[in-house]
């Protein structure tokens, strides 16, 4: 079997294939090095959650919602078992997550709606609970601690360490990892690289946002960039002032999607979405993006003004993938042997483990709880996954949505008149509704 892509999706797939079927010959073909993509450069939130998971609990699936919830909540315990078994170091700390309203009143409404939506899926207070202003302030001294959702189902990791550790673990298990080996063409069972070609009865595409080369998959997942910064290490006194004493990760409810963590070496790492390049070209080098990184810093300071004098020592970015379906997938075409997984919408650190386990059960034809989950499809990709609109509509749609969300953020944060904030809120809901109509 051949896996294209050495990020978490490819590495976890190789890991479970080799664990469940040790005699199976597995190789990974990676264009650069394992962890080069989003897996080596993300914000390090490992969540027991799937973006868009409401689709799996409700209409599209007649199965048991409790089973879906439990399968999703099993992500962190499963990862913990593998980290211990394989002795993988990745600064893993399960300190939970804070989804805060930290700057303006609309955030409070959004977070309350989000919590109600989670409860409507059957999650309860043990999974997600409301923190009032004092409780939030005790955990993190944000600019305006209005309130927050707290969940214990998030861990902090150092992303590249996990990718490198998994690459070493699968090599120990007998997986052949070919780095600097981009797949440049694929036809039937044949995969072509600049150094030669190979045949594989099962081919797994695990490239997430790097899909512009792969004809049939290309328009199913939209490559979007996110940017991230890290401060210099902060002193114990500074952390005393800031909080996050239990290693919680945090986000500040915003149309521009923010995420932060306290790293093991005591930096504040903080990121925000996003950009899209015409025709879905991925991007891995972000030198020259000074203004965009300053914007990320401005957002960080708006949440945590105490960091005004603290130096930002690192800034980078990466490409993630947003599926047209709105939720992640594990797809196997049993006739052609083509498989793919991904579509995490920027939440793939934990989800890739679950989707890889699901895909492996499909490939090995195991009649398991996982292979019956609603994100699994035994179909050709063309029937399993909807497509984004052709260019230039994709590009225009992304630009329009980003502009409205940016105006909404600026209006709410800047205290614009209520009518303006409401109008932009309606426009943003309308655009999100258009995107979610499938
Ligand atoms: C800045 C940033 C912050 C993020 N923060 C978080 C977070 O905090 N929490 C979270 O859950 N998610 C986060 N994400 C998303 C998460 O990182 C991804 O969902 C996840 O890493 C996807 O893993 P993957 O293996 O599917 O894809 P990738 O890690 O992107 O791996 C794809 C691999 O395929 C290789 N490849 C590409 N083309 C070819 C080819 N032709 N032949 C062979 N190999 C090829 C690439 O080199 C790459 O290594 C973030 C993403 C970014 C960019």
């Amino acid at each position: 079997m051949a896996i294209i892509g050495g990020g978490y999706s490819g590495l976890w797939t190789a890991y479970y294939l080799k664990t469940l079927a040790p005699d199976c010959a597995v190789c990974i073909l990676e264009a650069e090095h394992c962890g080069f993509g989003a897996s080596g450069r993300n914000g390090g939130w490992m969540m027991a959650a799937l973006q868009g998971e409401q689709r799996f609990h409700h209409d599209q699936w007649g199965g048991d919602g409790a089973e879906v919830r439990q399968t999703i909540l099993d992500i962190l315990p499963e990862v913990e078992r593998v980290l211990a078994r394989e002795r993988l170091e990745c600064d893993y700390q399960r300190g939970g997550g804070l989804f805060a309203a930290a700057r303006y009143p609309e955030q409070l409404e959004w977070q309350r709606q989000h919590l109600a939506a989670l409860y409507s899926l059957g999650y309860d207070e043990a999974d997600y609970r409301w923190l009032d202003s004092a409780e939030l302030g005790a955990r993190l001294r944000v600019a305006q601690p209005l309130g927050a959702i707290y969940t214990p189902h998030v861990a902090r990791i150092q992303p590249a360490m996990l990718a490198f550790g998994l690459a070493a673990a699968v090599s120990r298990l007998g997986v052949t990892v070919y780095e600097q080996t981009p797949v440049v063409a694929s036809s039937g069972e044949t995969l072509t690289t600049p150094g030669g070609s190979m045949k594989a009865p099962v081919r797994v595409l695990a490239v997430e946002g790097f899909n512009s080369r792969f004809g049939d998959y290309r328009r199913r997942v939209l490559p979007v960039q996110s940017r991230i910064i890290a401060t210099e290490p902060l002193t114990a006194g500074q952390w005393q002032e800031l909080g996050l004493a239990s290693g919680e990760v945090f986000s500040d409810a915003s149309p521009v999607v923010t995420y932060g963590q306290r790293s093991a070496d005591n930096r504040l790492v903080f990121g925000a979405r996003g950009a899209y390049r015409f025709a879905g070209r991925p991007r891995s080098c972000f030198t020259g993006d000074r203004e965009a990184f300053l914007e990320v810093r401005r957002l960080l300071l708006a949440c945590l003004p105490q960091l005004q004098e603290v130096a930002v020592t690192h800034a980078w970015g990466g490409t993630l993938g947003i599926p047209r379906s709105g939720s992640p997938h594990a797809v196997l075409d049993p006739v052609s042997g083509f498989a793919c997984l991904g579509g995490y919408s920027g939440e793939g650190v934990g989800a890739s483990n679950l989707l890889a386990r699901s895909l492996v059960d499909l490939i090995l034809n195991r009649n398991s709880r996982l292979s019956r989950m609603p994100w699994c499809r035994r179909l050709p990709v063309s029937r399993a996954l909807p497509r984004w609109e052709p260019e230039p509509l994709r590009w225009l749609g992304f630009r329009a949505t980003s502009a409205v969300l940016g105006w909404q953020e600026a209006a709410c944060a800047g205290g614009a008149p209520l009518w303006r904030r409401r109008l932009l809120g309606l426009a943003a809901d309308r655009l999100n509704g258009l995107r979610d109509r499938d």
Side-chain angles (χ1 to χ4, degrees), residues 4-11 29-47 181-184 206-211 213-214 224-228 259 316-321 341-342 344-352:
I4 307 165
Y8 300 144
S9 295
L11 291 164
L29 306 170
E30 162 55 50
E32 302 285 342
H33 59 79
C34 290
F36 172 80
S39 300
R41 48 178 86 213
N42 59 69
W45 281 47
M46 184 178 279
M47 307 161 72
T181 307
V183 172
V184 291
V207 294
E208 185 71 338
F210 294 81
N211 53 38
R213 243 184 207 152
F214 299 94
V224 166
Q225 281 78 45
S226 186
R227 293 186 187 81
I228 186 164
Y259 47 91
W316 68 100
T319 297
L320 52 91
L341 73 166
Y344 308 113
S345 298
E347 296 188 1
V349 176
S352 54

Side-chain angles (χ1 to χ4, degrees), residues 209-388:
F210 294 81
N211 53 38
S212 51
R213 243 184 207 152
F214 299 94
D216 213 19
Y217 191 66
R218 189 161 53 101
R219 268 177 53 199
R220 323 268 159 185
V221 177
L222 190 81
V224 166
Q225 281 78 45
S226 186
R227 293 186 187 81
I228 186 164
I229 58 176
T231 67
E232 62 187 325
L234 307 183
T235 63
Q238 285 170 308
W239 278 112
Q240 190 84 21
E241 206 186 304
L242 280 173
L244 301 183
S246 308
E248 303 94 326
V249 299
F250 73 97
S251 77
D252 161 59
S254 158
V256 291
V257 189
T258 64
Y259 47 91
Q261 68 145 289
R262 173 181 182 173
S263 67
D265 62 350
N266 284 313
R267 299 170 192 272
L268 200 308
V269 180
F270 186 83
R273 212 159 301 146
Y276 171 76
R277 302 174 87 196
F278 193 83
R281 282 173 299 136
R283 192 173 172 206
S284 302
C285 176
F286 289 76
T287 40
D289 281 19
R290 192 165 177 276
E291 227 358 90
F293 285 117
L294 284 175
E295 186 50 39
V296 178
R297 182 168 178 268
R298 272 195 287 276
L299 270 170
L300 171 62
L301 292 181
C303 295
L304 296 167
Q306 310 90 310
L307 296 177
Q308 184 67 47
E309 302 303 324
V310 168
V312 169
T313 53
H314 298 76
W316 68 100
T319 297
L320 52 91
I322 301 191
R324 186 67 180 93
S325 65
S327 46
H329 51 262
V331 177
L332 169 69
D333 177 353
V335 178
S336 72
F338 177 83
C340 60
L341 73 166
Y344 308 113
S345 298
E347 296 188 1
V349 176
S352 54
N353 172 276
L354 174 56
L355 271 292
R357 279 186 281 134
S358 305
L359 182 64
V360 166
D361 277 12
L362 285 180
I363 292 171
L364 299 179
N365 211 7
R366 285 157 60 96
N367 183 13
S368 64
R369 181 170 89 165
L370 278 176
S371 68
R372 288 190 299 275
M373 282 292 137
W375 47 83
C376 290
R377 299 267 198 289
R378 282 178 210 273
L379 283 173
V381 169
S382 57
R383 286 174 50 211
L385 302 173
R387 290 197 298 185
W388 285 97

